[in-house]
Amino acid sequence: ALEQFNAAVGHDLRSPLTALKLSLAMARESDDMSEAVESLDEGLLAVSRMESMVTELFGLAQAGRRLVDVQPVSLDASLGQAVDQLRARIQESGGKVEIRGPLPEALGSAALLAQVAQNLIENGLKYGDPDAPVVRVLGGRIGPEVFFEVEDNGVGVPSRDRSRIFSPFIQLAGARSGMGAGLALVQRIVAAHGGRVQVAESAGLGGACFRVLLPASTVGSVPVAELRCEEVARGIVLPFAMRQREEAAS
């Protein structure tokens, strides 16, 4: 278990390290002092995020299965941080990431939820259309829980594989890179928040759809009819439970 956890953490430290390396290289090659300073600032930001993630992960390991110190977290901000960390990866892939907000607030760790978003977006870029990957993020609230979904335009996850893709080092046929550790860490972090992760077929893009459900930051219950996601309200993207029922019936 310790080896698996260490491998997962090592996997997820690669993105901020890549961002830091890119920032330092741009600063060294720039002839414009203001551009160099901007690149160095981005590098410092990557270091700060990496430090926050490591601190939170150590806290998670020490606390056990559940987080102790939680606070309201803007999922809009967490998704924004994730995209910032993946800018180089997005450019390299020629892909596009669409965030359709506003997203709700969850209760938890800002650094760890940003890491969850980053892992899922990176997974969508990896398994999306090889020529033009598209990743779409949207969310809302169902009763006492909030959620966000990360969809891609790839081939999706076969039903027979959905129960095992969160196991460490499991890679499905057609995997292009990585160790298969990212989704395992996603599940561990979400479980520590008292949430859960589900996977189904994307009704909007045709690939995979990962849904992360988390405790809402405010007390009370919001009816399903009040979902913030306009795509759900307009019927373009079916609520996850409806999708599962349709798949079971087909």
Side-chain angles (χ1 to χ4, degrees), residues 2 28 31 54 61 72-73 80 83 86 93 101 109 112 133 135 138 140 143 177 194 203 214 223 242 250:
L2 181 59
R28 184 180 63 182
D31 295 326
V54 171
V73 176
V83 172
L86 291 171
S93 69
S109 159
L112 291 182
V135 177
L138 46 86
S177 62
L214 299 160
M242 292 175 61
S250 61

Side-chain angles (χ1 to χ4, degrees), residues 7-234:
V9 172
H11 168 271
D12 292 306
L13 285 174
R14 289 178 179 176
S15 290
L17 283 173
T18 300
L20 174 60
K21 183 178 179 180
L22 178 63
S23 296
L24 292 176
M26 292 177 64
R28 184 180 63 182
E29 296 173 4
S30 177
D31 295 326
D32 187 310
M33 181 59 70
S34 62
E35 290 182 358
V37 170
E38 183 178 352
S39 295
L40 290 173
D41 286 341
E42 291 178 357
L44 288 173
L45 184 60
V47 171
S48 297
R49 288 174 178 166
M50 185 165 47
E51 181 181 22
S52 296
M53 189 184 76
V54 171
T55 300
E56 294 285 359
L57 285 170
F58 275 126
L60 173 58
Q62 293 170 358
R65 292 174 178 259
R66 291 295 296 269
L67 288 171
V68 176
D69 184 19
V70 296
Q71 58 186 353
V73 176
S74 165
L75 292 181
D76 280 318
S78 294
L79 267 296
Q81 289 181 14
V83 172
D84 285 343
Q85 290 283 6
L86 291 171
R87 273 191 295 176
R89 178 73 180 86
I90 295 169
Q91 293 175 357
E92 177 187 351
S93 69
K96 179 171 64 172
V97 177
E98 304 173 359
I99 299 180
R100 300 194 174 184
L103 301 176
E105 282 193 348
L107 196 63
S109 159
L112 291 182
L113 290 181
Q115 189 61 47
V116 166
Q118 179 178 321
N119 282 17
L120 292 177
I121 292 173
E122 187 172 19
N123 190 75
L125 292 170
K126 183 191 300 183
Y127 293 103
D129 186 313
D131 297 321
V134 176
V135 177
R136 179 180 298 156
V137 184
L138 46 86
R141 179 167 178 168
I142 305 176
E145 294 181 307
V146 296
F147 73 90
F148 69 91
E149 293 182 347
V150 180
E151 303 177 286
D152 65 63
N153 63 340
V155 297
V157 180
S159 299
R160 65 180 180 275
D161 293 323
R162 292 175 187 171
S163 62
R164 66 188 189 96
I165 59 172
F166 296 102
S167 300
F169 311 116
I170 294 295
Q171 287 189 312
L172 304 182
R176 299 167 199 159
S177 62
M179 301 180 298
L183 291 179
L185 189 56
V186 163
Q187 187 180 56
R188 181 186 178 102
I189 292 174
V190 173
H193 282 76
R196 58 196 191 278
V197 188
Q198 301 169 330
V199 60
E201 181 181 349
S202 166
L205 296 177
C209 176
F210 289 86
R211 167 176 275 200
V212 175
L213 295 110
L214 299 160
S217 65
T218 55
V219 178
S221 177
V222 178
V224 175
E226 294 183 24
L227 291 177
R228 291 189 185 182
C229 173
E230 67 173 353
E231 286 74 23
V232 172
R234 289 162 50 195

